[in-house]
Amino acid sequence: MTLMEFFGCTFIAFGPPIALFIFTIAKDPMRVIVLIASSFFWLIALLISSILWFAVVPLRETLAFGLVFSVLFQELFRFLFYKIMRLANEGLIKVSQQSDNSNITPRDFANTHIMAYVSGLGFGLMSGAFSLINVLADLWGPGSIGIHGDSKYFFWSSSYLTLCFILLHTMWGVIFFAGMDRKCYFYVAYVVATHMLVSCLTLLNQLSSSTDSAIYLGPLIPAYIILVVSGIFAFYTAGGSLANIKNCVTCRKRRYQIE
């Protein structure tokens, strides 16, 4: 029973992000490098957050303390990664031009939204891996969910919440980079505020009981509402519009009619 739920929770949390990686990043070596680099920056943010949590002994048992500073450090390192990407932009263009076997064109780096998307997905994948890996480890092996009175909603809600955070980090990356490029700091404030809000909503899970599914739905529903809003925000930030969607749909219809 637990083994089946292990694979189910894994596919829920990491299925869509891995699909994004395979179809949009895996074929381009420089994008893979940017993804790994952004994941490394998230790890550094986690390390510093852990050091602070370990150093402040009186607040070590207070989960909210570590959560707030973790969010702040993540956004700080997103900013640092943005700065490094902009400083390295010219060098990346030259490397892509000199590589005969690369499928990347300089346009990939001139289009800041592409690199913002890749770095956001790197942040999200690493965040998701660290938030869910211990939960998935508990699912491996024989047993029945909730047999000792624990909540049967914990595992699937953790998976959906992890998926939400991975996709949110992807959207936040696009919005954050666009805000810094355009000097529109409302975008940056939106990213920090929504990141803090969704993260603090997860504290509600501490109140859950084995029979109370409403508490688990409490963080999920507003988190996915923010995900939809952030997705629309990122879409328009990257230059998308209803006209683009309409043109895309009509072009596909015409292509199928020709074939």
Coordinates of all heavy atoms in Angstrom, one line a residue, residues 124-181:
G124 N 13.1 25.8 -8.0 CA 12.0 25.0 -7.6 C 12.3 23.5 -7.4 O 11.8 22.9 -6.5
L125 N 13.0 22.9 -8.4 CA 13.4 21.5 -8.3 C 14.2 21.2 -7.0 O 13.9 20.2 -6.4 CB 14.1 21.1 -9.5 CG 13.3 20.9 -10.8 CD1 14.2 20.7 -12.0 CD2 12.3 19.8 -10.7
M126 N 15.1 22.0 -6.7 CA 15.9 21.8 -5.5 C 15.1 22.0 -4.2 O 15.2 21.2 -3.3 CB 17.2 22.7 -5.5 CG 18.2 22.3 -4.4 SD 18.8 20.6 -4.6 CE 19.6 20.7 -6.2
S127 N 14.2 23.0 -4.3 CA 13.4 23.2 -3.1 C 12.4 22.0 -2.9 O 12.2 21.5 -1.8 CB 12.5 24.5 -3.3 OG 11.5 24.6 -2.4
G128 N 11.8 21.5 -4.0 CA 10.9 20.4 -3.9 C 11.6 19.1 -3.5 O 11.1 18.3 -2.7
A129 N 12.8 18.9 -4.0 CA 13.6 17.7 -3.6 C 13.8 17.7 -2.1 O 13.6 16.7 -1.4 CB 14.9 17.6 -4.3
F130 N 14.2 18.8 -1.5 CA 14.6 18.9 -0.1 C 13.3 18.8 0.8 O 13.3 18.3 1.9 CB 15.4 20.1 0.2 CG 16.9 19.9 0.2 CD1 17.5 19.9 -1.0 CD2 17.6 19.6 1.3 CE1 18.9 19.6 -1.1 CE2 19.0 19.4 1.3 CZ 19.6 19.4 0.1
S131 N 12.2 19.4 0.3 CA 11.0 19.4 1.1 C 10.3 18.1 1.1 O 9.5 17.8 2.1 CB 10.0 20.5 0.6 OG 9.6 20.2 -0.7
L132 N 10.4 17.2 0.1 CA 9.6 16.0 0.0 C 10.4 14.7 0.2 O 9.8 13.7 0.4 CB 8.9 16.0 -1.3 CG 7.7 15.0 -1.4 CD1 6.6 15.4 -0.5 CD2 7.2 15.0 -2.9
I133 N 11.8 14.8 0.1 CA 12.5 13.6 0.0 C 12.4 12.7 1.3 O 12.3 11.5 1.3 CB 14.0 13.9 -0.3 CG1 14.8 12.6 -0.6 CG2 14.7 14.6 0.9 CD1 14.4 12.0 -2.0
N134 N 12.3 13.4 2.5 CA 12.2 12.7 3.7 C 10.8 12.1 3.9 O 10.6 11.0 4.4 CB 12.5 13.6 4.9 CG 14.0 13.9 5.0 OD1 14.8 13.1 4.6 ND2 14.3 15.1 5.6
V135 N 9.8 12.8 3.3 CA 8.4 12.3 3.4 C 8.3 11.1 2.5 O 7.7 10.1 2.9 CB 7.4 13.4 2.9 CG1 6.0 12.9 2.8 CG2 7.5 14.6 3.8
L136 N 8.9 11.1 1.3 CA 8.8 9.9 0.4 C 9.6 8.8 1.0 O 9.2 7.6 0.8 CB 9.4 10.3 -0.9 CG 8.6 11.3 -1.8 CD1 9.4 11.6 -3.1 CD2 7.3 10.8 -2.1
A137 N 10.7 9.0 1.8 CA 11.4 8.0 2.4 C 10.6 7.2 3.4 O 10.7 6.0 3.6 CB 12.7 8.5 3.1
D138 N 9.7 7.9 4.1 CA 8.8 7.2 5.0 C 7.7 6.4 4.3 O 7.1 5.5 5.0 CB 8.1 8.3 5.9 CG 9.0 9.0 6.9 OD1 10.1 8.3 7.2 OD2 8.7 10.1 7.3
L139 N 7.5 6.6 3.1 CA 6.5 5.8 2.3 C 7.1 4.5 1.8 O 6.3 3.7 1.2 CB 5.9 6.7 1.1 CG 4.8 7.6 1.5 CD1 4.5 8.5 0.3 CD2 3.6 6.9 1.9
W140 N 8.4 4.4 1.8 CA 9.0 3.2 1.2 C 8.9 2.0 2.1 O 9.3 2.1 3.2 CB 10.4 3.5 0.8 CG 11.1 2.4 0.0 CD1 11.8 1.3 0.5 CD2 11.0 2.2 -1.4 NE1 12.2 0.5 -0.5 CE2 11.8 1.1 -1.7 CE3 10.5 3.0 -2.4 CZ2 11.9 0.6 -3.0 CZ3 10.7 2.5 -3.7 CH2 11.4 1.4 -4.0
G141 N 8.3 1.0 1.7 CA 8.2 -0.2 2.5 C 6.8 -0.6 2.8 O 5.8 0.1 2.5
P142 N 6.6 -1.8 3.4 CA 5.2 -2.3 3.6 C 4.6 -1.5 4.8 O 5.2 -1.0 5.6 CB 5.5 -3.8 4.1 CG 6.9 -3.8 4.6 CD 7.6 -2.7 3.8
G143 N 3.3 -1.5 4.7 CA 2.5 -0.8 5.7 C 1.2 -0.2 5.2 O 0.9 -0.3 4.0
S144 N 0.5 0.4 6.1 CA -0.8 1.1 5.7 C -0.8 2.5 6.2 O -0.4 2.8 7.4 CB -2.0 0.3 6.3 OG -2.0 -1.0 5.7
I145 N -1.2 3.5 5.4 CA -1.2 4.9 5.8 C -2.2 5.1 6.9 O -3.4 4.7 6.9 CB -1.6 5.7 4.6 CG1 -0.7 5.5 3.4 CG2 -1.6 7.2 5.0 CD1 0.8 5.7 3.7
G146 N -1.8 5.8 8.0 CA -2.7 6.1 9.1 C -3.0 5.0 10.1 O -3.9 5.1 10.9
I147 N -2.2 3.9 10.0 CA -2.5 2.8 10.9 C -2.3 3.1 12.3 O -3.0 2.4 13.2 CB -1.7 1.5 10.4 CG1 -2.3 0.2 11.1 CG2 -0.2 1.7 10.8 CD1 -1.7 -1.0 10.5
H148 N -1.4 4.0 12.7 CA -1.2 4.3 14.1 C -1.9 5.6 14.5 O -1.5 6.3 15.4 CB 0.3 4.5 14.3 CG 1.1 3.2 14.2 ND1 0.8 2.1 15.0 CD2 2.0 2.8 13.3 CE1 1.6 1.1 14.7 NE2 2.4 1.5 13.7
G149 N -2.9 6.0 13.7 CA -3.7 7.2 14.0 C -3.2 8.5 13.4 O -3.7 9.6 13.7
D150 N -2.1 8.4 12.6 CA -1.6 9.5 11.9 C -2.5 9.9 10.7 O -3.3 9.2 10.3 CB -0.2 9.3 11.3 CG 0.8 8.9 12.4 OD1 0.7 9.6 13.5 OD2 1.6 8.0 12.3
S151 N -2.3 11.1 10.3 CA -3.2 11.7 9.2 C -3.0 10.9 7.9 O -1.9 10.8 7.5 CB -3.0 13.2 9.1 OG -3.8 13.6 8.0
K152 N -4.1 10.5 7.3 CA -4.0 9.9 6.0 C -3.9 10.9 4.8 O -3.7 10.6 3.7 CB -5.2 9.0 5.7 CG -6.5 9.7 5.8 CD -7.7 8.8 5.6 CE -9.0 9.5 5.6 NZ -10.1 8.6 5.5
Y153 N -4.0 12.2 5.2 CA -4.0 13.3 4.2 C -2.6 13.9 4.0 O -2.4 14.7 3.1 CB -5.0 14.4 4.5 CG -6.4 13.9 4.7 CD1 -7.0 13.8 6.0 CD2 -7.2 13.5 3.6 CE1 -8.3 13.4 6.1 CE2 -8.5 13.1 3.8 CZ -9.0 13.0 5.0 OH -10.3 12.6 5.2
F154 N -1.7 13.5 4.9 CA -0.4 14.2 5.0 C 0.4 14.0 3.7 O 1.0 15.0 3.2 CB 0.4 13.8 6.2 CG 1.8 14.3 6.3 CD1 2.0 15.6 6.6 CD2 2.9 13.5 6.0 CE1 3.3 16.1 6.6 CE2 4.1 14.0 6.0 CZ 4.4 15.3 6.3
F155 N 0.5 12.8 3.2 CA 1.4 12.5 2.1 C 1.0 13.2 0.8 O 1.7 13.8 0.1 CB 1.6 11.0 2.0 CG 2.3 10.4 3.1 CD1 1.6 9.7 4.1 CD2 3.7 10.5 3.3 CE1 2.3 9.1 5.2 CE2 4.3 10.0 4.3 CZ 3.6 9.3 5.3
W156 N -0.3 13.0 0.5 CA -0.8 13.5 -0.8 C -0.8 15.1 -0.8 O -0.5 15.7 -1.8 CB -2.1 13.0 -1.3 CG -3.3 13.3 -0.4 CD1 -3.8 12.5 0.6 CD2 -4.1 14.5 -0.5 NE1 -4.9 13.1 1.1 CE2 -5.1 14.3 0.5 CE3 -4.0 15.6 -1.3 CZ2 -6.1 15.3 0.7 CZ3 -5.0 16.6 -1.0 CH2 -6.0 16.5 -0.1
S157 N -1.2 15.6 0.4 CA -1.2 17.1 0.5 C 0.3 17.7 0.4 O 0.5 18.7 -0.2 CB -1.8 17.6 1.8 OG -1.1 17.1 2.9
S158 N 1.2 16.9 1.0 CA 2.6 17.4 0.8 C 3.1 17.3 -0.6 O 3.8 18.2 -1.1 CB 3.5 16.4 1.7 OG 3.2 16.5 3.0
S159 N 2.6 16.3 -1.4 CA 3.0 16.2 -2.8 C 2.4 17.3 -3.6 O 3.2 17.9 -4.4 CB 2.5 14.9 -3.3 OG 3.1 13.8 -2.6
Y160 N 1.2 17.6 -3.4 CA 0.6 18.7 -4.2 C 1.2 20.1 -3.8 O 1.3 21.0 -4.6 CB -1.0 18.7 -3.9 CG -1.7 17.8 -4.8 CD1 -2.3 16.6 -4.2 CD2 -1.8 18.0 -6.2 CE1 -3.0 15.7 -5.0 CE2 -2.5 17.0 -6.9 CZ -3.1 15.9 -6.4 OH -3.7 15.0 -7.2
L161 N 1.5 20.2 -2.5 CA 2.1 21.5 -2.1 C 3.5 21.6 -2.6 O 3.9 22.7 -3.0 CB 2.2 21.5 -0.5 CG 2.4 22.9 0.1 CD1 1.3 23.9 -0.3 CD2 2.3 22.8 1.6
T162 N 4.3 20.5 -2.7 CA 5.6 20.5 -3.3 C 5.5 20.9 -4.8 O 6.3 21.7 -5.3 CB 6.3 19.2 -3.2 OG1 6.4 18.9 -1.8 CG2 7.6 19.2 -3.8
L163 N 4.6 20.3 -5.5 CA 4.4 20.7 -6.9 C 4.1 22.2 -7.1 O 4.6 22.8 -7.9 CB 3.2 19.8 -7.5 CG 2.8 20.2 -8.9 CD1 3.9 20.1 -9.9 CD2 1.6 19.4 -9.3
C164 N 3.2 22.7 -6.2 CA 2.9 24.1 -6.2 C 4.1 25.0 -6.0 O 4.3 25.9 -6.7 CB 1.8 24.4 -5.1 SG 1.2 26.1 -5.1
F165 N 4.9 24.6 -5.1 CA 6.1 25.4 -4.8 C 7.1 25.4 -6.0 O 7.7 26.4 -6.3 CB 6.8 24.9 -3.5 CG 6.4 25.7 -2.3 CD1 5.5 25.2 -1.4 CD2 6.9 27.0 -2.1 CE1 5.1 25.9 -0.3 CE2 6.6 27.7 -0.9 CZ 5.6 27.2 0.0
I166 N 7.3 24.2 -6.6 CA 8.2 24.1 -7.7 C 7.7 25.0 -8.9 O 8.5 25.8 -9.5 CB 8.3 22.7 -8.2 CG1 8.9 21.8 -7.2 CG2 9.1 22.6 -9.5 CD1 8.9 20.3 -7.5
L167 N 6.4 25.0 -9.2 CA 5.9 25.8 -10.2 C 5.9 27.3 -9.9 O 6.1 28.2 -10.7 CB 4.4 25.4 -10.6 CG 4.3 23.9 -11.1 CD1 2.9 23.6 -11.4 CD2 5.1 23.8 -12.4
L168 N 5.6 27.6 -8.6 CA 5.7 29.0 -8.1 C 7.1 29.5 -8.3 O 7.2 30.7 -8.7 CB 5.2 29.0 -6.7 CG 3.7 29.2 -6.4 CD1 3.4 29.0 -4.9 CD2 3.2 30.5 -7.0
H169 N 8.1 28.8 -7.9 CA 9.5 29.2 -8.0 C 9.8 29.6 -9.5 O 10.5 30.5 -9.8 CB 10.4 28.2 -7.5 CG 10.8 28.3 -6.0 ND1 11.5 29.4 -5.5 CD2 10.4 27.6 -5.0 CE1 11.6 29.3 -4.2 NE2 11.0 28.2 -3.9
T170 N 9.2 28.8 -10.4 CA 9.4 29.0 -11.8 C 8.8 30.3 -12.2 O 9.4 31.2 -12.9 CB 8.8 27.9 -12.7 OG1 9.4 26.6 -12.2 CG2 9.2 28.0 -14.1
M171 N 7.6 30.6 -11.8 CA 6.9 31.8 -12.1 C 7.6 33.0 -11.4 O 7.8 34.1 -12.0 CB 5.4 31.8 -11.6 CG 4.7 30.6 -12.1 SD 4.7 30.4 -13.9 CE 3.8 28.8 -14.0
W172 N 8.0 32.8 -10.1 CA 8.7 33.9 -9.4 C 10.0 34.3 -10.1 O 10.3 35.4 -10.1 CB 8.9 33.4 -8.0 CG 7.7 33.4 -7.1 CD1 6.6 34.1 -7.3 CD2 7.5 32.5 -6.0 NE1 5.6 33.8 -6.3 CE2 6.2 32.8 -5.5 CE3 8.3 31.6 -5.3 CZ2 5.7 32.2 -4.4 CZ3 7.7 30.9 -4.2 CH2 6.4 31.2 -3.7
G173 N 10.7 33.3 -10.6 CA 11.9 33.6 -11.3 C 11.7 34.6 -12.5 O 12.4 35.5 -12.7
V174 N 10.7 34.3 -13.3 CA 10.4 35.2 -14.4 C 10.0 36.6 -14.0 O 10.4 37.6 -14.5 CB 9.2 34.5 -15.3 CG1 8.8 35.5 -16.4 CG2 9.7 33.2 -15.9
I175 N 9.1 36.6 -13.0 CA 8.6 37.9 -12.5 C 9.8 38.7 -11.8 O 9.9 39.9 -12.1 CB 7.5 37.7 -11.5 CG1 6.3 37.0 -12.2 CG2 7.0 39.1 -10.9 CD1 5.2 36.6 -11.2
F176 N 10.6 38.0 -11.0 CA 11.7 38.7 -10.3 C 12.7 39.3 -11.3 O 13.1 40.4 -11.2 CB 12.4 37.7 -9.4 CG 13.3 38.3 -8.4 CD1 13.0 38.6 -7.1 CD2 14.7 38.6 -8.8 CE1 13.9 39.2 -6.3 CE2 15.6 39.1 -7.9 CZ 15.2 39.4 -6.7
F177 N 13.1 38.5 -12.3 CA 14.1 39.0 -13.2 C 13.5 40.1 -14.1 O 14.3 41.1 -14.3 CB 14.5 37.8 -14.2 CG 15.6 36.9 -13.6 CD1 15.5 36.5 -12.3 CD2 16.6 36.5 -14.4 CE1 16.5 35.6 -11.8 CE2 17.6 35.7 -13.9 CZ 17.6 35.2 -12.6
A178 N 12.3 40.0 -14.4 CA 11.7 41.1 -15.2 C 11.6 42.4 -14.4 O 11.8 43.5 -14.9 CB 10.3 40.7 -15.7
G179 N 11.3 42.3 -13.1 CA 11.2 43.4 -12.2 C 12.6 44.1 -12.0 O 12.7 45.3 -12.1
M180 N 13.6 43.3 -11.9 CA 15.0 43.9 -11.8 C 15.4 44.5 -13.1 O 16.0 45.6 -13.1 CB 16.0 42.8 -11.4 CG 15.7 42.2 -10.0 SD 15.8 43.4 -8.7 CE 17.4 44.1 -8.9
D181 N 15.1 43.9 -14.2 CA 15.5 44.5 -15.5 C 14.8 45.8 -15.8 O 15.4 46.7 -16.3 CB 15.2 43.5 -16.7 CG 16.2 42.3 -16.7 OD1 17.3 42.5 -16.2 OD2 15.8 41.3 -17.2

